[in-house]
Amino acid sequence: AQTVTQSQPEMSVQEAETVTLSCTYDTSESDYYLFWYKQPPSRQMILVIRQEAYKQQNATENRFSVNFQKAAKSFSLKISDSQLGDAAMYFCACLYGGSQGNLIFGKGTKLSVKP
Amino acid sequence: GAGVSQSPSNKVTEKGKDVELRCDPISGHTALYWYRQSLGQGLEFLIYFQGNSAPDKSGLPSDRFSAERTGGSVSTLTIQRTQQEDSAVYLCASSSGTSRTDTQYFGPGTRLTVL
């Protein structure tokens, strides 16, 4: 079975500091896509960043970047210059089966940002 | 334009009752997804609609769950004879493309509580 594991139920970071959220996945497929979603208290999931498995270059979106280690099946999210508005649940997800697959989500990491 | 909307925001029902949850996708989006998020868990895929094609119902947990999408727009998720384990947040998402790799835009969800 395809799985996504987030080993950190909760993380905390000081405002303006950097934090890394971990994610590992398990698949034997070669065609898949990886995502990080943010879920604030409003419950609305927001896409933070995505990575195609066939791309070697790590994706970056402003203060958010990923460390994609394909051989280790690891997909961590780095948040630089953390802001109070970054406080939320963060979910790692993997789309297996190429363009016909379904998203498999991890259980999430709750990020707190201290002023 | 307006994002994905869902109603009601919260629903409390008694065990054994039927409930209907509504999703209004972003105008023009052909793809629509339903997910279930149980307490402390990640999202679980339920069903996927794409245009006029037959829906992918592979994630529905039992025959008490069904969904319709009328006119390629609004969707209704129906849960018959609700059980306490059905208590969860039900999230809807839509996307503009025909591939499941396209970015999904989520609504705020409906929190269902079965007493």
Side-chain angles (χ1 to χ4, degrees):
Chain A
Q2 321 284 18
T3 59
V4 175
T5 302
Q6 294 180 249
S7 59
Q8 306 153 317
E10 296 187 24
M11 289 285 284
S12 180
V13 63
Q14 203 72 33
E15 193 175 8
E17 297 295 309
T18 295
V19 65
T20 298
L21 308 183
S22 301
C23 173
T24 58
Y25 57 94
D26 188 15
T27 181
S28 57
E29 297 184 12
S30 58
D31 183 17
Y32 55 91
Y33 300 76
L34 296 160
F35 305 82
W36 277 99
Y37 279 90
K38 171 184 177 181
Q39 186 179 41
S42 67
R43 300 198 304 238
Q44 195 156 5
M45 301 280 282
I46 303 165
L47 178 65
V48 174
I49 200 165
R50 61 180 282 164
Q51 173 86 39
E52 289 81 0
Y54 61 83
K55 291 186 178 179
Q56 293 185 339
Q57 187 172 6
N58 289 328
T60 299
E61 288 288 343
N62 300 315
R63 298 182 296 106
F64 299 87
S65 62
V66 299
N67 183 6
F68 176 44
Q69 300 291 325
K70 192 170 184 178
K73 297 181 181 177
S74 171
F75 182 62
S76 59
L77 175 70
K78 185 172 83 171
I79 306 174
S80 304
D81 185 26
S82 297
Q83 301 176 0
L84 295 178
D86 295 334
M89 285 291 293
Y90 286 81
F91 291 93
C92 177
C94 185
L95 181 69
Y96 302 102
S99 63
Q100 299 305 312
N102 295 313
L103 280 174
I104 306 295
F105 285 82
K107 293 186 177 181
T109 296
K110 182 178 181 180
L111 178 66
S112 302
V113 180
K114 298 178 180 179
Chain B
V4 177
S5 61
Q6 292 186 244
S7 60
S9 178
N10 292 283
K11 175 72 176 179
V12 180
T13 190
E14 294 180 346
K15 178 182 174 180
K17 300 284 190 181
D18 297 352
V19 295
E20 287 188 351
L21 312 180
R22 177 187 168 103
C23 171
D24 281 90
I26 294 172
S27 178
H29 279 195
T30 58
L32 188 147
Y33 304 77
W34 282 98
Y35 294 91
R36 177 170 69 177
Q37 184 177 21
S38 301
L39 186 64
Q41 302 294 315
L43 277 66
E44 172 190 7
F45 166 78
L46 295 177
I47 190 169
Y48 165 68
F49 294 91
Q50 174 58 259
N52 295 321
S53 302
D56 175 1
K57 304 179 181 180
S58 60
L60 294 178
S62 77
D63 59 7
R64 296 187 297 104
F65 288 73
S66 63
E68 291 184 341
R69 189 177 185 194
T70 55
S73 182
V74 172
S75 177
T76 302
L77 177 69
T78 301
I79 308 174
Q80 296 179 313
R81 306 181 301 281
T82 52
Q83 303 295 314
Q84 289 185 333
E85 59 263 29
D86 299 335
S87 295
V89 175
Y90 290 83
L91 290 160
C92 172
S94 69
S95 69
S96 60
T98 57
S99 171
R100 301 198 197 190
T101 64
D102 296 321
T103 297
Q104 297 181 31
Y105 297 86
F106 285 79
T110 294
R111 181 180 299 279
L112 174 66
T113 302
V114 183
L115 301 177

